[in-house]
Amino acid sequence: MSETTVTPERPITVEEREVKPGFVGTNVPRKEDARLVQGQGVFADDMRRHGMGYVHFVRSPYAHAQITGIDVSKALELEGVYGTLTGDEVAIQTDPFFELSTPPGSEIKDYALAVGKVRWMGEPVAAVVAATRELARDAAELVEVEYEPLPVLVDAEKAQDVEAPILHDDAGSNVVWSGEFDWGDFDAALAEADRVVKIDRLHFHRFSSTPLECSGCIVEYERATGQWTLFGNHQMPGVGAIWMAPALRVGIDKLRFVSHDIGGAFGNKITLHPYFVACCLLARKLRRPVQWTEWRTDQHMANTHGNERTFLDIEVPVRSDGTMLGFKVRAIDDCGAFPRYEPLGCIIWAQVTPGCYRWRHVRVDFTQVCTNKSPVAPNRGYSRMQQLWFTERLVDIVAHELELDPVEVRKRNYIRSDEMPYETPNGCVYDSGDYALCLDKALELIDYGSIEQRREEAATRGKLLGLGIGSTLDSGTNNFGQSMILNPELQFSGNNEVATVKLDLFGEIVVTLGTVPQGQGHETTASQVVADILGCTPDDVHVRPGHDSYWNSHAGFSGTYASQFAVTGIGAVKGATERLATEMRQLAAAVLGCAPDDIELAEGQARMRENPEAALPFMALGAIINANNAGLPQDLDVTLNCRYVYRPPFEKPDVERKYGNLTLTYANQVHACVIEIDGETGVYEIVDYAAVDDCGHRIHPQIVEGQVHGAMAHGLGAATHEQFPYDEDGTLLTANFYDYHVPHALDMPPLKTDYVESPSPFTNYGAKGMGEGGGAGIHAVCAAIQDALRPLGGPIVTDSCNPPNRVWELIRDPEAARAGVAVESA
Amino acid sequence: MEAVSSKTVAVEVNGDLYEREVDARRLLVHFIRDDLELTGTHIGCDTGNCGACTVLYDGQAVKSCMLLAVQADGARIETVEGLAQDGELHPLQQAFSDHHALQCGYCTPGMLLSAKHLLDNNHEPTETEIRRAIQGNICRCTGYVNIVEAIAAVARGEA
Amino acid sequence: MKLEGTRSFEAPRQAVWEVLNDPARMAKTMPGVESFDVQDDRHWKANVKIPLGLGVLPLSIGFEKIEERPIEYARLHANGSGVGAIMSMATGFHLSEADGGGTDMRWEAEVKVAGPVGSMGQRVLQPIVNQQVQNVLAALDEQVQEAYSAG
Amino acid sequence: MLLREVEYARPSSVAEAVELLADNPNARPLAGGQTLINVMKARVASPEVLVDLNGLEELKGIELGGEGTLELGAMVTYSQAMSSAECRARPILGEVAAQIADVQVRNRGTIGGNICANDPTNHLPPLLVALGATMTIVGREGERTVPADDFFLGVYMTAAGPGELLTTVTVPPAKGAGDAFASVTIGRDGTGIVNVAASVNGDSRLVVGCVAAVPVLIRPGSTDEDAVREAVHRAGLDPPSDVHASADYRRHLAEVLAARAVEQAAGRRRS
């Protein structure tokens, strides 16, 4: 007979604890921090397994070449080498990865290692496994590969030329996907306009977020069951498994993905499947765990980059007062050697088709092509950042050419708060927001009123001062149905996320997330939600760090990407916790002999509302259901282990019209940037900077603000230095941090922040996903440079990356920098 | 004297003395991570730029990816694992948490040691001095805003 | 990267031409040459260890004479590979008679380098290649002088 | 990461170090390692033997002679140069050392290593040429001194050849000279795009870095801005074009920075 049997007559009294309700919306201490500040996080390279071997990839020194022979014999002779893997083996043992595109992109054959041909410099050609890291690299040097070089394609604008080398013979074309988007009535807008601003070319450059932890994994193969365990830093294992399992010809449950801490991902760890499959094959072949760590130069040369996009033949119909009616553009997107996550970027941009503006008439001719560069993948602000940069450039170029104030043009064209929820020309619904208010706050932070005075003062020091604004959207919670607009055959739509919340034997509340966090503080924010619902403190809630697909708490779209945790992750946690709360009340009611509605959860107890003395501590509930359940009513259907799948309310889009709601929430940020340019050298300094964020109700304001800081730093880095340019031979010119300059602490300007809270009508807590920031820093810096150089002949900023050399060129030859822009009377 | 391809080294790390035979080619950071299994010291680049591998080496902040393990014979090294004492977080560790000076936490160990090196040598750093002290540590999450604030708070005695 | 320049030799055009067409002499212009094989009059092979100050970069290089118009123009291709390093060079030499009996040589070279050397960064790559080419030209000068005075 | 196999020796005297270096043409001295180890990580260079100089106290001295001659041991770190009282005799040394990379690199990186590596973007080669420093090199055959003007031979190559060791950098007395250093870098205090060192005292020594494999010494006839720009223009610089800067931009920066450095140096001159 157990001592813990509880009856209403003998309630257990527990020590009174201070319980502060309402944790959501407050800055509770981050649960993740204690281990991370002590160096006790567990990252991909921190794991060890008995008898494991280290993998080193042999990479192509050519951007485009036939492989005419691979000889691994010398590598195998080296003592300490366990084995090798080549493209021939991969082609026999696996099927090509699933392609998302319609033809011609669907015909591309993508494997874990190069098969027959290499298509970018750094592409893995073979792999070697050895007893130590150093030996594996020694052995990789002994693998002899013979190549026959082929002509190289690096310019996406030339990819469709007749004489262009073709990367994928199976596809017969370098085009992955192309399509027309036509919303509203662009011809009518032209007729209605007073002026048409024409821009020949705008170019959004290639870069990535370069997470400080590179990719990696340990893969173990269990021969008894044919199951692989992949401990690594894949940020979207659900989708990773969709690629990997068919390629490996196994069921999806044969792939167990585990992650603990991830040192940043930003989208760059979504397409690790080729490397992971190579490791799976090696683990099976060599009958031992294998460990792969990517180094920085590997990451730059051969992991993922953000999409490079060129906007051509742009037309913007404008009224004399600065009202812009829409735009027409031909966009060419460069996805590098293989599409992988693409061509999703060919539709993702349409989540923010008109940016923050009331433009109704849009015509876009969009083509995505392959080139001999590293493949792309989502990168913080995936595909929308390019589009938002484009819309912000349109506003600033129109203002410049019509001699209007960019602030006034923005306000005239912004979607107004009283128009929310607002349906865009392609059927997306902007849920809430007050862009003009955000702009006003940003301008106030940088003391907009004094700008002209500061401009004059700077001029006395020989400096050109300029102000730039970047207004952006952070569209979160994808409707994967948008993929059907690209390829109606695809069977993807909606979205989902999973959480499991249980009350364990000793009363411990255990939360299991489907998300795969990389620093966003999910353990903390989940615990806030759980604590509020269960009437306890976040300290009472244990959120399991990381992810394990064997926890069975994930679904097809699980992961951390596309600004969605505050909606999907929190939605799942809330749903699961409410289920648990219901069960706890049912159990307590059964034990205490009352109705579930008579029970309240508070102060770590389930107690009778009318008689708080009649209470069961959580520990008692956990113990009863798990270990002391005799005598409970037979019809009491309670497990205290509740799984919930959050599913946002989406419809399938209208594929014919390419129309529908592609995202659930739209956070927005407005940045204002003041720069000073040294007119002699083109060197510039950001002297004042403000960012105002509106992501609806903030669950943890400090975490939100941290995301704003980080997104701003990424924007500034990309605007000033970070770029992945290739020379004509397909050599990456910024192969590591020697040449790829990431902002350090001295590079960062003083940063001022403020916020607005426009709750989303569509979500729990009125929260919106946020964190990507839409590249606002890039837009603001481009605009500020253009503004500063107005006195020097008005050069137009047409590229998203403007290091000092480029600014100097704008100064030296403003006419050339204006040549592609014209204003015509309509 | 003969040059050797491996050597036994005695290194004091966080107050503990380790004796290990290491290859001459092994970098100190691999020695710390792989041989001593102190994986709090991280690797974020291969060119000496990122500072994730920063440790204190005889009291000086250095990047452990630009030293050989054999060089460390007789050295006194402090890594992130040595910061907390008797279960109490070091004031910098506490301040990093309080000020949300970390997100993914990958740069944090190196950042903490650079900050400690600063405060060991300068009790009243200006903001610029703080930024200069962590210039060799790349963070891709925070934009450094809260890191600078956390270090300043410790200098002010607020943590 | 593309490099070009001019150089004057105090030797008649025929003498310069002969050196350019003498694999044994050309071999001596290579930095750190360890072995040299003449396969036929258009193809040679060399193993070199290019000194890079901090160490050496071993490469095996195949040469091919692509075009020649005796005593005025020659074009050579060189393809080298080492451990993870790829080098290719297309060079052209234009010879003309200088005033006073010497020879003027206009040369151009297109050099491609990839592999670990490339990852050392932009700041060192071009100066290194530039300097190696200058060294070759200086050595060529020596060979011309030697051949001319010997002949 | 992941170096090729290498042998290691830690001599206890300069003489022993020189013997080790002379014994094997593929032995290299290991000073701060802030360049060499990275080159080895990339496996661009793979010395067979590393001769670690870190135990050699005789290379760590900083001495200020009675007449103001500054003798810096090759193993003096940037941090030591920044904080050394003796180095204040030539304040530009500490000022420039403070701009090199970051704290961690400055704690390990040495003056000798900086100039012997002669990475074209390094700070000290142009500075020491501008200051008219001399280098003392020891080999099996004995000791010799080489003026900075003749010391730099190429990227990663100097007059201190295989089997030799740079031991001392001697900076002559300032004698009222004004020194300055101007640069445009990738990010704040980053890798140089162009840097210029100037020392002005009667004749001006102006040295441009990052534009060739070795520092380029220019002697403008006067400190007048136009004369300086003209002198740089006439020097016919042929700088590299790369991802950070075109040759044109580097040429332009060389002129601008030369003018700025000379102006500042002239202003600092003590007459």
Side-chain angles (χ1 to χ4, degrees):
Chain A
M1 190 73 187
S2 164
E3 292 289 318
T4 56
T5 303
V6 177
T7 67
E9 290 77 31
R10 281 198 308 122
I12 287 177
T13 56
V14 292
E15 212 176 314
E16 284 219 1
R17 292 181 305 169
E18 203 179 339
V19 174
K20 196 179 85 193
F23 291 104
V24 168
T26 65
N27 293 330
V28 305
R30 279 210 333 167
K31 282 180 168 293
E32 294 84 351
D33 291 353
R35 66 175 184 271
L36 294 173
V37 297
Q38 298 184 80
Q40 301 300 317
V42 185
F43 295 91
D45 189 65
D46 295 345
M47 298 289 281
R48 305 285 177 263
R49 289 288 183 273
H50 179 71
M52 76 184 198
Y54 292 90
V55 179
H56 201 96
F57 286 100
V58 178
R59 295 175 183 275
S60 169
Y62 289 100
H64 199 191
Q66 292 290 346
I67 300 170
T68 53
I70 301 184
D71 183 353
V72 297
S73 55
K74 283 185 186 151
L76 289 170
E77 283 165 18
L78 191 69
E79 197 182 326
V81 170
Y82 297 143
T84 61
L85 185 74
T86 64
D88 288 347
E89 292 170 79
V90 170
I92 292 165
Q93 294 173 31
T94 67
D95 290 321
F97 296 117
F98 160 73
E99 293 291 340
L100 291 163
S101 185
T102 49
S106 58
E107 304 304 315
I108 289 170
K109 292 192 174 51
D110 186 9
Y111 288 98
L113 295 174
V115 174
K117 193 175 172 183
V118 290
R119 295 177 177 87
W120 87 92
M121 198 177 281
E123 182 174 1
V125 173
V128 179
V129 180
T132 69
R133 301 177 194 273
E134 288 89 349
L135 266 178
R137 187 169 177 191
D138 294 347
E141 291 189 340
L142 297 175
V143 174
E144 291 172 352
V145 187
E146 281 178 41
Y147 299 94
E148 267 175 29
L150 294 166
V152 173
L153 173 68
V154 288
D155 184 348
E157 290 174 67
K158 293 183 180 152
Q160 295 173 80
D161 291 356
V162 189
E163 65 272 22
I166 301 283
L167 269 77
H168 298 281
D169 295 333
D170 294 317
S173 159
N174 292 319
V175 173
V176 175
W177 187 90
S178 68
E180 301 266 347
F181 301 82
D182 197 354
W183 299 303
D185 186 343
F186 186 76
D187 294 326
L190 279 180
E192 192 191 326
D194 299 315
R195 307 281 191 85
V196 179
V197 176
K198 295 191 171 181
I199 308 159
D200 286 352
R201 186 174 183 276
L202 296 172
H203 175 250
F204 190 91
H205 74 293
R206 188 177 256 258
F207 63 95
S208 87
S209 296
T210 63
L212 198 58
E213 182 205 28
C214 294
S215 308
C217 61
I218 283 189
V219 178
E220 292 175 280
Y221 182 67
E222 190 181 297
R223 294 171 60 75
T225 57
Q227 179 224 307
W228 283 281
T229 299
L230 303 102
F231 182 95
N233 51 23
H234 199 300
Q235 74 176 105
M236 201 180 184
V239 172
I242 292 174
W243 272 305
M244 289 177 61
L248 286 163
R249 302 170 187 150
V250 298
I252 215 158
D253 199 49
K254 295 294 186 208
L255 297 172
R256 176 184 178 187
F257 285 88
V258 185
S259 67
H260 199 281
D261 294 298
I262 296 182
F266 312 109
N268 303 162
K269 289 172 179 163
I270 283 180
T271 51
L272 300 182
H273 53 277
Y275 294 104
F276 279 28
V277 164
C279 291
C280 285
L281 295 177
L282 283 163
R284 185 171 67 185
K285 177 179 175 180
L286 304 179
R287 301 188 180 195
R288 63 169 75 239
V290 299
Q291 199 273 356
W292 167 61
T293 295
E294 176 185 63
W295 307 111
R296 174 61 48 195
T297 304
D298 301 330
Q299 194 204 45
H300 285 213
M301 293 208 348
N303 195 359
T304 66
H305 297 167
N307 299 52
E308 177 178 356
R309 194 170 296 165
T310 310
F311 301 92
L312 300 164
D313 309 332
I314 303 152
E315 293 181 25
V316 188
V318 191
R319 291 208 193 100
S320 299
D321 65 0
T323 303
M324 299 162 71
L325 304 175
F327 60 84
K328 185 178 107 172
V329 66
R330 186 162 65 86
I332 296 181
D333 190 272
D334 178 352
C335 77
F338 287 95
R340 305 214 162 142
Y341 203 80
E342 297 300 324
L344 282 182
C346 299
I347 185 66
I348 299 271
W349 64 270
Q351 295 172 5
V352 295
T353 298
C356 299
Y357 305 102
R358 309 168 75 224
W359 308 337
R360 303 301 308 171
H361 311 290
V362 174
R363 190 177 288 164
V364 178
D365 175 343
F366 198 107
T367 303
Q368 184 174 67
V369 298
C370 283
T371 59
N372 293 116
K373 303 178 190 173
S374 187
V376 302
N379 181 56
R380 196 175 201 163
Y382 175 40
S383 191
R384 293 98 87 216
M385 169 167 57
Q386 288 82 344
Q387 177 69 9
L388 292 162
W389 177 77
F390 170 72
T391 61
E392 290 299 283
R393 278 288 74 215
L394 293 189
V395 170
D396 284 303
I397 293 172
V398 163
H400 189 273
E401 295 304 296
L402 302 187
E403 293 177 14
L404 299 168
D405 178 355
V407 171
E408 290 310 313
V409 175
R410 279 192 171 75
K411 287 193 172 170
R412 184 171 294 281
N413 287 281
Y414 273 155
I415 294 158
R416 296 191 302 261
S417 60
D418 61 13
E419 294 173 308
M420 299 288 180
Y422 175 88
E423 190 176 273
T424 68
N426 57 316
C428 290
V429 179
Y430 291 3
D431 49 344
S432 64
D434 190 337
Y435 309 153
L437 177 61
C438 288
L439 175 57
D440 283 337
K441 284 184 173 243
L443 292 174
E444 196 181 312
L445 287 173
I446 54 131
D447 191 16
Y448 178 58
S450 71
I451 282 292
E452 292 312 316
Q453 193 189 331
R454 281 148 77 191
R455 214 190 283 275
E456 286 168 24
E457 186 278 325
T460 65
R461 290 180 282 112
K463 297 285 171 72
L464 298 147
L465 183 138
L467 163 70
I469 297 159
S471 16
T472 65
L473 299 169
D474 199 340
S475 52
T477 307
N478 273 331
N479 176 358
F480 280 85
Q482 61 204 295
S483 63
M484 299 167 74
I485 294 175
L486 301 174
N487 180 357
E489 305 285 311
L490 290 178
Q491 301 297 313
F492 297 115
S493 71
N495 197 332
N496 52 28
E497 190 51 272
V498 184
T500 307
V501 183
K502 67 173 176 175
L503 189 63
D504 226 329
L505 181 63
F506 294 139
E508 191 183 22
I509 301 156
V510 180
V511 180
T512 310
L513 301 172
T515 63
V516 185
Q518 311 118 29
Q520 297 89 348
H522 292 180
E523 292 165 48
T524 307
T525 43
S527 74
Q528 291 173 273
V529 169
V530 173
D532 276 0
I533 296 170
L534 296 185
C536 57
T537 76
D539 289 345
D540 299 327
V541 181
H542 170 60
V543 185
R544 290 173 170 172
H547 175 91
D548 184 337
S549 52
Y550 268 28
W551 285 335
N552 191 29
S553 186
H554 69 287
F557 297 123
S558 280
T560 294
Y561 56 90
S563 293
Q564 63 175 27
F565 179 77
V567 175
T568 59
I570 291 295
V573 169
K574 180 167 181 285
T577 312
E578 284 170 351
R579 280 195 179 159
L580 177 65
T582 301
E583 290 196 0
M584 287 163 71
R585 278 194 287 268
Q586 285 172 337
L587 176 61
V591 174
L592 298 174
C594 61
D597 284 350
D598 296 336
I599 300 289
E600 65 172 6
L601 303 177
E603 297 173 24
Q605 299 175 326
R607 65 191 182 196
M608 288 175 72
R609 239 179 272 278
E610 303 302 320
N611 175 18
E613 295 288 297
L616 287 165
F618 288 178
M619 182 177 172
L621 295 175
I624 290 167
I625 209 70
N626 283 294
N628 192 9
N629 52 40
L632 288 176
Q634 282 302 309
D635 60 350
L636 183 69
D637 184 13
V638 166
T639 63
L640 300 189
N641 187 353
C642 299
R643 182 176 187 271
Y644 183 85
V645 181
Y646 172 79
R647 203 172 64 236
F650 282 129
E651 300 295 324
K652 290 185 179 173
D654 179 337
V655 171
E656 288 300 306
R657 294 165 62 210
K658 300 187 170 78
Y659 187 93
N661 193 15
L662 308 183
T663 339
L664 194 66
T665 64
Y666 288 84
N668 79 286
Q669 286 189 16
V670 177
H671 291 210
C673 163
V674 182
I675 68 164
E676 285 186 8
I677 302 177
D678 176 339
E680 255 190 322
T681 61
V683 173
Y684 58 96
E685 186 182 359
I686 294 161
V687 294
D688 207 353
Y689 200 100
V692 177
D693 167 74
D694 181 357
C695 62
H697 279 157
R698 301 178 303 167
I699 293 166
H700 192 297
Q702 200 183 36
I703 287 177
V704 166
E705 207 179 346
Q707 290 290 324
V708 173
H709 296 161
M712 176 252 184
H714 279 198
L716 288 192
T720 56
H721 288 106
E722 292 182 43
Q723 50 177 329
F724 283 134
Y726 284 80
D727 71 9
E728 60 195 23
D729 303 320
T731 305
L732 176 62
L733 300 178
T734 50
N736 47 47
F737 285 154
Y738 276 144
D739 290 307
Y740 191 94
H741 180 78
V742 167
H744 53 61
L746 279 175
D747 289 326
M748 290 300 293
L751 174 60
K752 302 164 179 170
T753 55
D754 200 352
Y755 68 96
V756 170
E757 288 195 341
S758 307
S760 173
F762 305 143
T763 69
N764 292 307
Y765 303 105
K768 303 184 188 189
M770 62 82 60
E772 301 189 73
I778 309 175
H779 323 331
V781 170
C782 287
I785 291 169
Q786 185 172 295
D787 182 52
L789 298 184
R790 264 190 308 156
L792 302 186
I796 298 294
V797 173
T798 59
D799 205 291
S800 50
C801 187
N802 293 279
N805 193 162
R806 192 163 284 142
V807 174
W808 176 69
E809 278 161 10
L810 295 174
I811 294 169
R812 186 173 62 157
D813 193 354
E815 279 311 307
R818 292 194 45 77
V821 179
V823 183
E824 292 177 7
S825 297
Chain B
M1 115 168 282
E2 284 288 303
V4 293
S5 59
S6 71
K7 188 179 167 186
T8 300
V9 295
V11 188
E12 184 192 316
V13 182
N14 303 327
D16 296 328
L17 191 68
Y18 296 86
E19 271 194 32
R20 292 280 193 286
E21 163 127 9
V22 288
D23 283 353
R25 62 161 152 176
R26 180 140 274 215
L27 296 171
L28 179 58
V29 66
H30 288 311
F31 175 74
I32 293 170
R33 288 179 50 77
D34 294 348
D35 297 347
L36 305 187
E37 297 182 333
L38 293 168
T39 54
T41 301
H42 295 151
I43 298 171
C45 75
D46 47 12
T47 51
N49 293 84
C50 83
C53 66
T54 300
V55 299
L56 299 188
Y57 184 94
D58 291 335
Q60 298 281 300
V62 302
K63 294 177 179 175
S64 60
C65 74
M66 290 192 284
L67 276 101
L68 303 175
V70 285
Q71 291 186 273
D73 189 21
R76 182 171 46 82
I77 291 173
E78 201 175 338
T79 71
V80 67
E81 287 91 346
L83 285 178
Q85 295 292 326
D86 305 324
E88 283 285 310
L89 293 183
H90 185 280
L92 278 164
Q93 291 173 314
Q94 188 60 51
F96 267 53
S97 180
D98 293 346
H99 292 270
H100 189 35
L102 65 151
Q103 290 178 29
C104 81
Y106 197 75
C107 75
T108 309
M111 197 68 83
L112 285 165
L113 289 157
S114 286
K116 180 168 190 292
H117 180 253
L118 169 73
L119 298 183
D120 284 349
N121 294 286
N122 181 350
H123 300 294
E124 291 180 36
T126 63
E127 180 178 331
T128 303
E129 285 170 338
I130 293 172
R131 287 181 181 269
R132 281 182 62 79
I134 59 168
Q135 183 199 356
N137 295 75
I138 290 175
C139 170
R140 293 255 61 182
C141 294
T142 66
Y144 310 99
V145 181
N146 292 341
I147 294 174
V148 172
E149 186 44 44
I151 298 169
V154 176
R156 290 193 302 263
E158 289 173 13
Chain C
M1 66 195 77
K2 288 197 173 82
L3 304 161
E4 56 188 6
T6 55
R7 196 159 186 106
S8 299
F9 300 98
E10 291 182 7
R13 194 147 61 134
Q14 184 65 36
V16 179
W17 177 258
E18 278 168 15
V19 170
L20 284 178
N21 281 279
D22 178 353
R25 289 221 175 259
M26 285 300 280
K28 293 183 182 162
T29 68
M30 304 288 306
V33 67
E34 301 233 306
S35 68
F36 197 83
D37 296 322
V38 179
Q39 288 157 306
D40 59 45
D41 62 350
R42 301 191 80 82
H43 297 89
W44 324 316
K45 257 196 150 118
N47 287 316
V48 301
K49 282 191 171 168
I50 298 177
L52 293 175
L54 299 176
V56 294
L57 181 70
L59 288 176
S60 86
I61 306 178
F63 293 88
E64 186 181 7
K65 196 191 295 170
I66 299 291
E67 197 183 335
E68 59 178 338
R69 293 197 299 276
I71 85 161
E72 62 186 41
Y73 179 67
R75 197 148 67 90
L76 284 179
H77 272 194
N79 281 301
S81 63
V83 174
I86 300 288
M87 187 278 291
S88 80
M89 182 163 70
T91 53
F93 303 94
H94 308 258
L95 303 181
S96 59
E97 267 159 40
D99 302 338
T103 304
D104 285 338
M105 182 176 81
R106 186 160 58 78
W107 60 271
E108 71 262 336
E110 188 165 359
V111 184
K112 298 174 182 179
V113 180
V117 183
S119 70
M120 275 312 292
Q122 292 282 305
R123 71 197 190 291
V124 292
L125 196 55
Q126 202 168 329
I128 286 177
V129 171
N130 222 328
Q131 191 173 32
Q132 294 298 339
V133 170
Q134 294 302 335
N135 289 347
V136 169
L137 290 168
L140 185 62
D141 207 353
E142 257 174 47
Q143 290 303 314
V144 169
Q145 292 311 326
E146 202 181 300
Y148 183 46
S149 51
Chain D
M1 318 310 285
L2 316 180
L3 281 50
R4 287 210 184 97
E5 283 190 356
V6 68
E7 292 187 354
Y8 173 84
R10 189 181 169 98
S12 49
S13 70
V14 168
E16 204 176 17
V18 167
E19 283 307 309
L20 283 158
L21 290 168
D23 279 347
N24 185 335
N26 278 322
R28 292 290 179 277
L30 174 61
Q34 308 296 288
T35 300
L36 179 56
I37 299 284
N38 289 326
V39 174
M40 292 175 69
K41 285 182 202 164
R43 297 198 172 190
V44 171
S46 299
E48 287 168 16
V49 178
L50 290 175
V51 179
D52 186 355
L53 309 180
N54 282 278
L56 304 180
E57 290 305 317
E58 49 193 309
L59 296 182
K60 296 179 182 174
I62 305 179
E63 281 177 37
L64 183 60
E67 288 169 3
T69 300
L70 196 54
E71 299 217 325
L72 298 158
M75 289 298 290
V76 169
T77 64
Y78 312 131
S79 292
Q80 285 162 351
M82 285 163 65
S83 60
S84 140
E86 290 80 7
C87 279
R88 273 171 224 142
R90 210 75 197 253
I92 192 71
L93 287 168
E95 187 183 316
V96 171
Q99 295 171 35
I100 296 173
D102 50 56
V103 173
Q104 296 95 314
V105 170
R106 292 194 291 268
N107 283 342
R108 285 297 295 179
T110 64
I111 288 175
N114 188 292
I115 60 178
C116 286
N118 191 35
D119 180 308
T121 62
N122 276 3
H123 295 61
L124 297 184
L127 178 64
L128 292 174
V129 174
L131 300 184
T134 52
M135 320 304 184
T136 304
I137 299 169
V138 176
R140 220 177 220 164
E141 310 305 316
E143 190 176 279
R144 65 198 172 105
T145 56
V146 178
D149 296 17
D150 303 328
F151 183 77
F152 301 101
L153 304 180
V155 177
Y156 302 151
M157 279 192 263
T158 66
E164 293 189 312
L165 194 61
L166 171 78
T167 55
T168 311
V169 175
T170 306
V171 179
K175 290 185 180 159
D179 307 323
F181 190 86
S183 61
V184 166
T185 56
I186 305 161
R188 193 82 70 87
D189 284 0
T191 305
I193 292 175
V194 171
N195 55 36
V196 175
S199 185
V200 173
N201 196 9
D203 71 329
S204 302
R205 289 174 69 88
L206 177 66
V207 187
V208 187
C210 314
V211 294
V214 297
V216 179
L217 171 65
I218 297 168
R219 292 163 177 257
S222 100
T223 57
D224 172 68
E225 179 177 345
D226 290 339
V228 171
R229 282 176 176 258
E230 179 58 25
V232 175
H233 188 74
R234 270 188 286 112
L237 299 176
D238 183 20
S241 244
D242 63 23
V243 63
H244 306 296
S246 65
D248 277 350
Y249 184 52
R250 282 202 168 87
R251 261 189 293 270
H252 169 77
L253 288 181
E255 289 183 26
V256 174
L257 295 174
R260 290 181 185 180
V262 169
E263 187 191 355
Q264 189 178 28
R268 286 173 170 182
R269 188 176 160 192
R270 279 183 295 123
S271 42

